[in-house]
């Protein structure tokens, strides 16, 4: 009965954390569509999609691997965690090098002309990849409240910074949205 209770509470917290985080992110849609141009919103969509694709390759399934090996009886949690961090740092070095050379062509294809966007792009990807082992460690350590809370906090910070920059500071460009995302990623890393 205890295992079932633990399973239910973990599913509840992880699920609620995901739902609340996504709901907070969804609150940004009317802010972005009412305050930035359709062209800038389109750039945000392209960048968000590209980040999602690249994050799959950069994380390399490291999160689930850390959780799996951390929960194994004969494997050390700290070894799984530090091995995951080392792998992500090494792989990110190679991936970011390749991306650095490919990004101008991708940006031109997407119609993104600002060179500053690449710095935001790399920063967000790097910080998000650094958070993968830490979040996996929280899962392996069975800390669903902290795990979900960090996700909600990240979404809340991103939302608050976007509202501040776009609505109150009138920075109606994609750089404001990326700056907010970078701030939220920094907080979680």
């Amino acid at each position: 009965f205890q295992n079932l209770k633990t399973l239910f509470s973990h599913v509840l917290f992880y699920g609620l954390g995901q739902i609340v985080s996504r709901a907070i992110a969804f609150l940004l849609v009317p802010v972005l569509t009412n305050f930035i141009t359709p062209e800038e919103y389109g750039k945000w969509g392209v960048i968000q999609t590209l980040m999602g694709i690249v994050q799959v390759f950069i994380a390399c399934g490291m999160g689930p691997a850390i959780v799996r090996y951390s929960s194994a009886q004969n494997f050390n949690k700290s070894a799984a965690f530090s091995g995951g961090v080392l792998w992500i740092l090494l792989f990110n070095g190679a991936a970011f090098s390749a991306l650095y050379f490919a990004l101008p062509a991708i940006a031109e294809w997407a119609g993104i002309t600002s060179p500053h966007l690449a710095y935001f792009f790399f920063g967000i990807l790097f910080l998000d990849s650094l958070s993968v082992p830490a979040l996996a460690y929280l899962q392996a350590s069975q800390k669903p409240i902290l795990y979900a809370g960090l996700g909600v906090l990240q979404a809340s910070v991103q939302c608050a910074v976007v509202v501040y920059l776009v609505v109150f500071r009138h920075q109606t460009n994609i750089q404001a949205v990326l700056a907010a995302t970078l701030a939220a990623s920094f907080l979680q890393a």
Side-chain angles (χ1 to χ4, degrees), residues 127-171:
L127 291 172
D128 284 352
S129 67
L130 284 181
S131 70
V132 168
L135 292 173
Y137 189 77
L138 287 176
Q139 280 184 300
S141 301
Q142 298 187 9
K143 297 183 178 179
I145 296 172
L146 184 56
Y147 178 90
L150 283 173
V152 170
L153 181 63
Q154 181 185 23
S156 300
V157 167
Q158 181 184 10
C159 187
V161 174
V162 165
V163 168
Y164 173 73
L165 292 176
V166 173
V167 176
F168 297 111
R169 300 283 303 200
H170 307 291
Q171 294 180 10

Side-chain angles (χ1 to χ4, degrees), residues 1 4 18 23-24 27 59 66 94 100 111 113 115 162 174 176 186 188:
F1 182 72
L4 190 58
Q18 288 291 318
I24 291 169
L27 292 174
I66 290 171
Y100 179 78
T113 56
V162 165
I174 192 62
F186 181 77
Q188 187 165 338

Side-chain angles (χ1 to χ4, degrees), residues 29-65:
V29 173
V31 172
L32 295 176
T33 56
N34 286 314
F35 287 94
I36 67 173
T37 66
E39 179 183 353
E40 292 290 310
Y41 191 72
K43 288 178 187 177
W44 170 239
V46 169
I47 289 171
Q48 214 175 12
T49 301
L50 186 58
M51 277 195 284
I53 292 168
V54 172
Q55 282 174 338
V56 169
F57 293 104
I58 288 177
C60 301
M62 193 53 57

